[in-house]
Amino acid sequence: ISPDTLTMFCRDRIKSGQYQIFCPMILENYRTCNAHWPLDTEIRDSALLSAEEEEEFRSAMNENLHRAHGEKPCPRCGNYVQRRLESDSNRVTCPGCLLQSGAPFAFCWFCLREWRAGESLP
């Protein structure tokens, strides 16, 4: 596999939402190898990624990881927040904002707009 082909393969996997890359090689028994390929060693070195490509992959894989765990970025500080499963409210409070500014910041889980008292959000 050439470096360009590996780069295209990884980019395709990342665009499909994966946050880890696994070897797709078919073994003798018709099973997939499925060995984990770490970005900072295997992929970077074998695909000959530039620093910009490595950062692009790392950022996209990180975003995919957060999405896979049901997290969204806070619209104020950018820290990732997870909605409580038992909550039936669309209101989410960011713990990162509370730690950084000392004041709580609440926003709508769906539209990511600031939640204001008395305002009707989805």
Side-chain angles (χ1 to χ4, degrees), residues 24-42:
M25 187 174 89
I26 305 297
L27 304 174
E28 290 178 15
N29 57 5
Y30 300 103
R31 291 184 11 214
T32 305
C33 170
N34 226 21
H36 178 250
W37 288 347
L39 175 62
D40 57 351
T41 54
E42 297 286 330

Side-chain angles (χ1 to χ4, degrees), residues 9-10 13-14 18-23 35-37 43 61:
F9 170 78
C10 292
R13 299 288 89 211
I14 293 168
Q18 292 187 11
Y19 56 89
Q20 295 181 358
I21 305 295
F22 299 95
C23 176
H36 178 250
W37 288 347
I43 295 172
M61 291 168 82

